[in-house]
Amino acid sequence: MLLLPFHLGVAAQSVHQHVAESDSTCEEDELHVKLSEVVVNGVTGQSLLRESPLPFLVVSNKELTRSSSTNVIDAIARMPGISQLTTGSGISKPVIRGLGYNRVAVVNDGVRQEGQQWGDEHGIEIDAASVNSVEILKGPASLMYGSDAMAGVIVFRSSPTLPQGTMKANVQTEYQTNNGLFDYSLNFGGNKQGVVWNMRYSEKMAHAYKNKWDGRVPGSQFHERAANALVGLNKQWGFSHLTLGYYHLTPSIIEGERDEDTGELEASDDWKPKGYGKTTPFQQIHHYKAVLDNSFYVGDGGRLNAVVGYQQNRRQEFEEPDEAELDFMLHTMNYDVRYISGDFGGGWKVSTDVNGMWQQSLNKGEEALIPAYKLFDFGIFTTATRTWDRWNLSGGLRFDQRRLHSQGDEGEEEERFHDFKKNLNGLSGSIGTTYCASDNLHIRLNASRGFRAPNLSELGSNGVHEGSLRYEMGNDGLKPEYSWQIDFGIDYSSHIISAQLSLFANHIDNFIFLQRMTAAEEKALHESNEESVGYDGFRYTAGTARLWGGEASVVVHPFRKLHIENTFSYVATRLLHQGNDSRYLPYTPEPRWTMNVRCDLLRQCKHVAESYASIGLECHLEQDHVFTANDTETATPSYTLLNAAAGTDVLLHGKTLFSISLTANNLLNRAYQNHLSRLKYADVNNVTGRRGVFNMGRNFGIKVSVPIAL
């Protein structure tokens, strides 16, 4: 079992996912999965989804295939309560209910993904083609992961190992018209007498994207390569899997500078509007990973899981082609040992876990933004679950300790960082209950306490952040964040309608955020530090934050083949004891309403199957609750996007020859800026008066997947 709060079984689907059965006469018999029918494997054994007091989403492989995206976070950003902080089309960071950066834990291949996620322009180093499904826990998950999971967890799952005696291969490719995105992925896996393997190679490239107001956006091109392999044993005693992975991304950097006379975006001399090659400035990211995942059956229904992983992340930024200005090297060792009991007596199930990580970060470039450091995390927790009648009770406690040593550069010609040590402890926990009012109606309530230790960027940064175009100063006096969150939910599911309401309220002490310096502070910074001249100065500080809101979704099935889905997401934030210009948290997502109408045309005929067509609206409402102090953030007007999709499986002799899906995003070619787009704050166009760079315009996509059974 992998390390996450709720691991869905092979047959599990999301509440609104519909499992269809078909016959040879093209008639379909739609089976609407009810909440009570979904089986999950929780931290204390197998249970039903209705027994979970925590809100989470499941994005199925079918949903991922039917959508069009440019990176792995973009693929899930339309889900209720999920947003993305973007830098063009190639770099996205996940945001859950208004919280991002080191407050969202990302799990891939069974371990936490560690790639210096403190940076604004640092994306997630995961190959989207390798993701079979996604599980998203919305709310503090510090109980399971310790620090950095205060907002929730996103778990990217690869395909399960194949059944005994089978081998399969797959070839898939995609093309998008706006930025010329082209990708392909080759996959081969099998299972022979319990010896399992799975191998994949993927490549993706895109030139500069365009919109109707900016034209082509210089620096928005990128090139991605990824390879991974799994080999292991599946036996009666359990399993042992070794996964090796490599990810390489080369994104150019969008500077957003404009010609003062024409207002056009400036580009380097070697930039070509439809060229796929990198241009200066650019980043270079290499991510290596090795994970050994073991699970053993112990005693009567018990299980012992042991996972150890190593990751190496190297992130470089180049102003000139041959020499890196910034060069971060991060080494991470993850470990996790968990025992899950069978029936402990009286209907109780218990789980005990020890996990954490060791890290070392080095600066190998000419410049540095954060100091080199060493870190060691240790956490231990226990959870318990009991079910009786229509009630389920679950909860747990966790203790964390983080030791951090920031290495100064005393004695260097230019002293930038000083040496300091931190020993941070945290206690977190969760308790919740669910009530099954009927087979169709379920009510859940959960209270949790989260913990997050400040990262090195917040504690010790001192330098120009080229990707953010600002000078950042850390604060080594910052204390850990602590949160109290209450979650309440109601779920209803029937053959005609499925509805879900999730509400939350979150109080965070010592909330850490980046605030622009006052004019006097910036002047003093520029006078004492020549490097900071020409950049806005920002400093990390802390306050008390409150967040509340929720998500609502309703799926109506008026006919067998017609499905109408509406979702609404809302987050309100407040910084207490602040002035009017500082009372809202920076980068609070705008309210969002989406509607999608899908028609299942043909379930199965002689030559086609799983045929569908859909049309949808994304309505992003105005966001004027912004952090305006010192011109840190600006309001964003509302906008609506029209999208469409269609697809089918093509059959030959009753077997799938290939699957094809067509997508059209932003059909009306609307020029817009998402509120969480960092490019909003680039230069002003002196000709039009518009500030910043706009998001991608109209984009058509085509995906083709060819399965090969061996």
Side-chain angles (χ1 to χ4, degrees):
M1 175 177 171
L2 301 184
L3 308 181
L4 73 163
F6 295 94
H7 168 38
L8 293 167
V10 175
Q13 303 287 340
S14 65
V15 174
H16 303 310
Q17 180 67 31
H18 313 296
V19 178
E21 297 177 348
S22 58
D23 56 36
S24 59
T25 61
C26 302
E27 296 292 333
E28 72 171 7
D29 179 20
E30 192 78 23
L31 173 62
H32 303 284
V33 176
K34 298 181 181 180
L35 191 66
S36 60
E37 297 169 338
V38 181
V39 178
V40 300
N41 292 317
V43 294
T44 53
Q46 195 175 74
S47 61
L48 297 175
L49 179 59
R50 68 182 181 186
E51 298 170 357
S52 166
L54 295 169
F56 67 92
L57 299 169
V58 179
V59 186
S60 67
N61 180 261
K62 183 177 292 186
E63 291 173 293
L64 293 172
T65 302
R66 292 179 174 180
S67 64
S68 180
S69 60
T70 56
N71 58 70
V72 71
I73 300 301
D74 189 35
I76 62 173
R78 296 182 180 90
M79 302 301 293
I82 311 302
S83 307
Q84 57 179 331
L85 182 70
T86 62
T87 306
S89 59
I91 298 176
S92 298
K93 298 177 68 65
V95 175
I96 299 178
R97 289 177 164 177
L99 299 175
Y101 296 88
N102 283 79
R103 298 179 182 93
V104 176
V106 175
V107 176
N108 186 43
D109 295 325
V111 297
R112 280 174 40 164
Q113 187 80 8
E114 290 294 323
Q116 305 176 76
Q117 53 268 37
W118 50 266
D120 287 322
E121 76 288 11
H122 298 176
I124 304 299
E125 304 86 354
I126 296 175
D127 172 25
S130 68
V131 177
N132 183 67
S133 63
V134 186
E135 300 159 14
I136 305 170
L137 171 63
K138 296 183 293 185
S142 301
L143 176 63
M144 298 296 301
Y145 294 96
S147 181
D148 299 355
M150 180 174 286
V153 179
I154 301 177
V155 182
F156 294 97
R157 294 205 171 279
S158 56
S159 300
T161 55
L162 294 175
Q164 162 65 27
T166 60
M167 291 191 299
K168 291 184 179 180
N170 181 273
V171 179
Q172 61 188 59
T173 185
E174 179 181 8
Y175 178 76
Q176 297 179 19
T177 59
N178 187 289
N179 59 351
L181 184 148
F182 170 74
D183 70 21
Y184 65 92
S185 184
L186 312 174
N187 175 240
F188 171 57
N191 183 337
K192 186 174 182 179
Q193 296 180 350
V195 178
V196 296
W197 69 92
N198 191 31
M199 297 175 287
R200 181 180 295 276
Y201 177 80
S202 304
E203 187 167 6
K204 179 189 297 182
M205 61 192 76
H207 59 63
Y209 77 84
K210 66 179 180 180
N211 59 65
K212 70 177 183 180
W213 284 350
D214 296 320
R216 295 284 174 191
V217 178
S220 59
Q221 66 272 24
F222 62 90
H223 193 173
E224 175 185 299
R225 295 186 182 93
N228 57 72
L230 177 147
V231 63
L233 295 173
N234 288 355
K235 297 294 184 178
Q236 292 183 347
W237 46 260
F239 67 81
S240 180
H241 296 161
L242 174 64
T243 301
L244 303 176
Y246 170 66
Y247 177 92
H248 178 209
L249 176 65
T250 307
S252 294
I253 296 176
I254 304 172
E255 296 185 297
E257 297 177 351
R258 295 183 181 271
D259 185 281
E260 293 185 359
D261 298 324
T262 66
E264 293 183 356
L265 290 167
E266 294 182 345
S268 60
D269 295 336
D270 56 348
W271 180 71
K272 297 179 181 179
K274 292 189 177 182
Y276 288 90
K278 64 179 182 289
T279 57
T280 54
F282 65 93
Q283 294 187 61
Q284 194 90 257
I285 298 100
H286 299 269
H287 193 89
Y288 302 87
K289 182 188 293 184
V291 179
L292 182 61
D293 187 0
N294 307 279
S295 182
F296 309 98
Y297 295 110
V298 179
D300 186 13
R303 191 162 66 251
L304 178 66
N305 298 330
V307 180
V308 61
Y310 168 74
Q311 300 175 71
Q312 182 193 101
N313 183 279
R314 187 168 191 178
R315 185 176 296 272
Q316 301 168 296
E317 293 185 6
F318 293 82
E319 291 292 329
E320 300 296 333
D322 300 326
E323 190 169 1
E325 298 293 323
L326 292 175
D327 191 343
F328 302 110
M329 174 77 81
L330 179 66
H331 302 273
T332 303
M333 288 287 296
N334 304 90
Y335 64 92
D336 189 292
V337 179
R338 174 180 304 167
Y339 172 71
I340 303 172
S341 75
D343 192 332
F344 201 69
W348 288 96
K349 295 182 179 180
V350 178
S351 171
T352 302
D353 191 295
V354 175
N355 62 19
M357 67 179 178
W358 169 89
Q359 279 189 341
Q360 182 178 23
S361 179
L362 305 172
N363 289 319
K364 293 181 172 292
E366 287 189 349
E367 300 178 2
L369 175 59
I370 65 172
Y373 69 88
K374 292 182 179 180
L375 176 152
F376 181 76
D377 269 354
F378 170 82
I380 182 170
F381 71 88
T382 297
T383 63
T385 301
R386 186 187 177 189
T387 302
W388 66 94
D389 296 330
R390 293 181 174 271
W391 290 90
N392 174 270
L393 178 69
S394 62
L397 287 174
R398 178 187 178 103
F399 173 77
D400 276 286
Q401 183 179 66
R402 169 170 289 188
R403 296 180 180 178
L404 178 65
H405 180 197
S406 172
Q407 300 173 354
D409 52 9
E410 289 84 355
E412 298 290 335
E413 182 177 345
E414 181 182 353
E415 186 175 312
R416 181 186 299 270
F417 307 112
H418 67 278
D419 191 280
F420 66 87
K421 295 182 180 180
K422 291 281 186 178
N423 194 350
L424 306 169
N425 300 322
L427 186 66
S428 53
S430 176
I431 185 169
T433 185
T434 59
Y435 175 66
C436 178
S438 68
D439 289 342
N440 295 333
L441 180 64
H442 304 83
I443 302 171
R444 47 189 164 81
L445 180 67
N446 192 80
S448 54
R449 178 169 173 82
F451 160 78
R452 186 183 79 89
N455 60 48
L456 251 293
S457 176
E458 297 162 340
L459 291 169
S461 61
N462 184 8
V464 176
H465 195 162
E466 296 288 353
S468 301
L469 301 177
R470 64 193 181 207
Y471 196 96
E472 296 184 1
M473 293 286 294
N475 179 358
D476 61 10
L478 294 172
K479 299 178 181 179
E481 296 179 344
Y482 286 97
S483 71
W484 285 102
Q485 179 161 319
I486 300 293
D487 283 279
F488 173 77
I490 300 177
D491 304 296
Y492 177 81
S493 180
S494 72
H495 290 279
I496 303 298
I497 186 172
S498 299
Q500 194 173 50
L501 175 67
S502 296
L503 304 176
F504 76 95
N506 192 0
H507 177 98
I508 305 177
D509 292 315
N510 305 321
F511 180 82
I512 300 170
F513 60 98
L514 197 61
Q515 185 175 33
R516 187 171 177 180
M517 298 177 181
T518 64
E521 290 174 330
E522 274 195 350
K523 182 179 179 181
L525 174 66
H526 296 333
E527 290 176 351
S528 62
N529 190 321
E530 293 183 359
E531 183 185 356
S532 68
V533 176
Y535 294 92
D536 296 331
F538 285 76
R539 185 188 306 276
Y540 283 98
T541 187
T544 302
R546 288 182 181 173
L547 300 91
W548 64 95
E551 304 84 40
S553 62
V554 178
V555 184
V556 181
H557 325 283
F559 308 105
R560 282 184 174 181
K561 297 182 179 181
L562 185 64
H563 316 282
I564 304 172
E565 180 176 5
N566 286 270
T567 68
F568 182 73
S569 304
Y570 176 78
V571 177
T573 65
R574 183 63 59 90
L575 275 171
L576 304 185
H577 317 300
Q578 301 287 331
N580 288 336
D581 57 356
S582 306
R583 58 179 176 170
Y584 301 114
L585 268 63
Y587 292 117
T588 299
E590 71 280 4
R592 185 181 66 202
W593 168 67
T594 66
M595 183 185 71
N596 190 69
V597 179
R598 189 186 86 244
C599 182
D600 293 328
L601 303 175
L602 295 173
R603 180 58 58 193
Q604 184 167 342
C605 285
K606 183 176 180 180
H607 295 298
V608 296
E610 301 288 338
S611 302
Y612 69 93
S614 67
I615 189 167
L617 288 175
E618 288 182 48
C619 182
H620 299 251
L621 304 183
E622 179 185 12
Q623 180 57 289
D624 56 1
H625 291 180
V626 296
F627 191 94
T628 59
N630 304 318
D631 296 323
T632 298
E633 198 176 14
T634 61
T636 304
S638 63
Y639 61 91
T640 300
L641 305 179
L642 177 65
N643 307 316
T648 189
D649 294 345
V650 178
L651 307 180
L652 180 64
H653 304 308
K655 296 183 178 180
T656 301
L657 186 62
F658 64 89
S659 301
I660 183 170
S661 60
L662 307 173
T663 57
N665 290 337
N666 194 5
L667 265 172
L668 302 181
N669 200 28
R670 176 70 184 270
Y672 70 96
Q673 289 177 321
N674 185 274
H675 185 66
L676 300 191
S677 170
R678 296 178 53 252
L679 301 182
K680 274 186 59 182
Y681 305 101
D683 284 356
V684 174
N685 186 327
N686 292 331
V687 176
T688 64
R690 303 186 187 102
R691 182 183 180 183
V693 178
F694 284 73
N695 288 73
M696 185 183 292
R698 182 187 295 116
N699 187 27
F700 297 98
I702 178 172
K703 290 183 180 180
V704 178
S705 178
V706 182
I708 304 171
L710 304 175

